Amino acid sequence: MKKETRTTKESVSTKPVFLLITAILLLTIATTTKAQSHENKTTTGKEKWISPAKTAVNVCPGGVAFGFYSANVEHLFGENHGLVLRGDLETIPNTYSDANIESSGKAVILNYRYHFGGGLNSWYAGAYTRYRKIKGDGTLESGEFDFKLPECTIGLNVGKRWIWESGFTLNFALGYGYVYDELKVNNPSQEALDAIEVFRDDYAFMNGFLGEFSIGYAF
């Protein structure tokens, strides 16, 4: 059985969604400075409550509807430096192309965050790296095929974490980065390669985007 390897380097500018994400990031960054100047004040002149929590564990319940399971833990070093370890599992519910491609994926993300306000409950910006591997298989008239698509992404993100005195925490973040991937295919007929290309174009999460809307507990 033949095996073909293709390497693809994709700049973030090759994805149309990049323009939307960039606009969101720039808007968020622009408002961060203004928000930060007011964050330590209230209308009564009191200082903002800063959570003493140093660790937060979060899950993303909204992704379950898309077959996407994600959990992460963030630990704060000092007053401003957060380090996040996150794991994702993608049980991709749809099939793609005439080959009825079925696929799944796993990912590990390491994310550094600088918390502007001090403490976990503040605006932050940072950088992340993600390693993800997607596996899939399909069937065509030319025969069955399977493939692996490991990729590495390096990017920037911004976000905000809220923490209540009960320890309940809510986190929202957006990021985008540069993707490097390497396609490995068994039985690489042109039909199979075309079907995989359809999958790469149609699967909504097949890009450098990184998002998080999660809930959890901080302690």
Side-chain angles (χ1 to χ4, degrees):
M1 183 176 289
K2 293 183 179 179
K3 184 174 183 179
E4 179 170 302
T5 299
R6 289 188 175 186
T7 300
T8 305
K9 294 180 181 180
E10 293 183 336
S11 168
V12 292
S13 61
T14 63
K15 295 292 185 179
V17 72
F18 171 68
L19 296 177
L20 175 61
I21 300 302
T22 300
I24 294 173
L25 291 177
L26 291 177
L27 178 62
T28 306
I29 292 172
T31 56
T32 296
T33 303
K34 181 177 179 181
Q36 184 59 37
S37 65
H38 294 285
E39 201 171 40
N40 293 327
K41 296 180 181 180
T42 65
T43 54
T44 60
K46 296 181 180 179
E47 292 186 356
K48 186 202 74 165
W49 177 72
I50 297 178
S51 170
K54 292 294 183 180
T55 303
V57 179
N58 283 59
V59 295
C60 301
V64 176
F66 303 96
F68 198 93
Y69 303 87
S70 179
N72 68 78
V73 57
E74 179 177 9
H75 185 74
L76 188 69
F77 297 89
E79 295 295 326
N80 305 96
H81 307 284
L83 191 62
V84 183
L85 181 63
R86 168 175 158 178
D88 292 346
L89 175 63
E90 300 170 67
T91 55
I92 303 171
N94 295 327
T95 56
Y96 294 85
S97 83
D98 293 336
N100 290 320
I101 290 177
E102 296 184 353
S103 53
S104 62
K106 297 177 181 179
V108 176
I109 300 105
L110 186 64
N111 181 199
Y112 166 77
R113 297 171 176 172
Y114 181 84
H115 289 263
F116 296 104
L120 285 173
N121 58 326
S122 63
W123 286 91
Y124 58 80
Y128 70 92
T129 181
R130 175 179 64 195
Y131 177 77
R132 177 168 65 171
K133 179 180 284 187
I134 290 179
K135 296 181 179 181
D137 58 74
T139 303
L140 292 164
E141 291 183 2
S142 57
E144 297 181 351
F145 66 92
D146 60 82
F147 67 91
K148 296 179 181 178
L149 188 56
E151 67 171 35
C152 184
T153 303
I154 298 176
L156 302 175
N157 72 324
V158 294
K160 189 177 191 306
R161 180 185 292 280
W162 295 265
I163 300 177
W164 283 259
E165 293 189 28
S166 63
F168 178 79
T169 179
L170 176 70
N171 189 70
F172 177 74
L174 289 173
Y176 207 89
Y178 177 92
V179 180
Y180 174 91
D181 61 28
E182 185 176 356
L183 175 63
K184 301 177 180 179
V185 189
N186 288 321
N187 191 19
S189 66
Q190 187 58 52
E191 283 183 295
L193 295 175
D194 290 343
I196 294 170
E197 197 61 33
V198 171
F199 164 75
R200 296 173 74 170
D201 290 341
D202 291 352
Y203 181 42
F205 297 103
M206 201 70 233
N207 50 51
F209 174 73
L210 181 70
E212 180 185 343
F213 184 69
S214 64
I215 59 174
Y217 181 73
F219 54 93

